[in-house]
């Protein structure tokens, strides 16, 4: 039997993975924004910025992959310049940091934990907005959503959580 020829790869190409997560407490009367998309709901995250946990988790995954610190270092909550900033601005800033360091994004995968409301109808727009902010294609971003099955702070509807992984490459 003929064996398949292995794919030719650039031996100098470096791949790096990163992980990020974020949790925000939910409170009545706050805006719910995920991946830059406004979602109508009676509660939203409490936070210094817009509390966009999906964008924050993706920021930390990308920063982690490049070993460039974390979101708190780049966007300190004591800094007035980021007060009420759209988290898509954080993503645009990180896109520049990665470019300067010579990295490109291969793909991102994220999961949002939220008891209510159902997020499925908003996911295509989230992928679009995050892709545009990072200068990549929608196919490079996966966003999933799940509930907390009535358990923990997410399950009780008290918190919003997001986890993300990122793969970047250089060379
Ligand atoms: Mg956050």
């Amino acid at each position: 039997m003929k064996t398949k020829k292995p794919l030719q790869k650039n031996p100098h190409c470096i791949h790096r993975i990163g992980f990020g997560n974020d949790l925000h407490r939910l409170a009545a009367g706050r805006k719910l924004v995920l991946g830059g998309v406004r979602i109508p709901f009676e509660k939203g995250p409490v936070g210094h910025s817009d509390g966009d946990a999906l964008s924050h988790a993706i920021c930390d995954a990308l920063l982690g992959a490049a070993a460039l610190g974390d979101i708190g270092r780049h966007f300190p909550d004591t800094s007035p310049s980021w007060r009420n900033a759209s988290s898509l601005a954080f993503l645009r800033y990180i896109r520049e940091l990665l470019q300067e360091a010579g990295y490109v994004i291969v793909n991102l995968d994220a999961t949002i934990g939220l008891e209510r409301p159902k997020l499925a109808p908003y996911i295509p727009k989230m992928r679009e907005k995050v892709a545009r902010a990072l200068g990549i294609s929608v196919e490079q971003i996966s966003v999933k959503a799940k509930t907390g099955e009535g358990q923990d702070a997410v399950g009780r509807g008290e918190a919003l959580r997001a986890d993300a992984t990122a793969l970047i490459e250089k060379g």
Side-chain angles (χ1 to χ4, degrees), residues 139-163:
E139 290 70 34
Q140 286 168 282
I141 302 182
S142 152
V143 177
K144 312 180 295 299
K146 64 197 303 173
T147 68
E149 293 282 333
Q151 304 301 302
D152 71 21
V154 169
R156 290 190 298 270
E158 297 165 2
L160 158 71
R161 179 192 169 91
D163 298 282

Side-chain angles (χ1 to χ4, degrees), residues 5-171:
K5 231 177 150 186
L7 285 173
Q8 290 298 308
K9 283 201 171 168
N10 175 1
H12 305 294
C13 184
I14 297 166
H15 285 92
R16 298 176 61 112
I17 60 165
F19 171 75
N21 73 350
D22 194 31
L23 183 93
H24 280 268
R25 189 162 57 83
L26 292 171
R30 302 276 306 184
K31 279 185 194 167
L32 177 59
V33 178
L34 286 165
V37 178
R38 177 77 199 275
I39 296 158
F41 189 52
E42 74 262 17
K43 283 198 272 188
V46 178
H48 174 75
S49 64
D50 57 6
D52 184 338
L54 173 62
S55 296
H56 296 175
I58 291 173
C59 283
D60 260 355
L62 289 169
L63 289 170
L68 285 172
D70 61 25
I71 196 167
R73 183 177 120 192
H74 293 278
F75 314 104
D77 59 12
T78 48
S79 160
S81 51
W82 296 107
R83 187 175 291 275
N84 298 320
S86 160
S87 296
L88 294 178
F90 295 180
L91 290 171
R92 286 192 289 268
Y93 182 86
I94 288 169
R95 169 190 182 173
E96 280 175 30
L97 287 181
L98 291 175
Q99 258 168 12
E100 279 165 25
Y103 289 111
V104 296
I105 298 167
V106 178
N107 75 305
L108 299 165
D109 183 25
T111 302
I112 303 165
L114 186 63
E115 200 64 9
R116 278 190 313 126
K118 288 276 175 237
L119 297 177
Y122 305 100
I123 285 177
K125 197 77 195 162
M126 290 178 202
R127 292 174 69 206
E128 222 175 86
K129 288 209 167 195
V130 172
R132 201 178 307 144
L134 291 171
I136 59 177
S137 71
V138 166
E139 290 70 34
Q140 286 168 282
I141 302 182
S142 152
V143 177
K144 312 180 295 299
K146 64 197 303 173
T147 68
E149 293 282 333
Q151 304 301 302
D152 71 21
V154 169
R156 290 190 298 270
E158 297 165 2
L160 158 71
R161 179 192 169 91
D163 298 282
T165 52
L167 182 67
I168 61 173
E169 69 177 12
K170 186 196 278 207

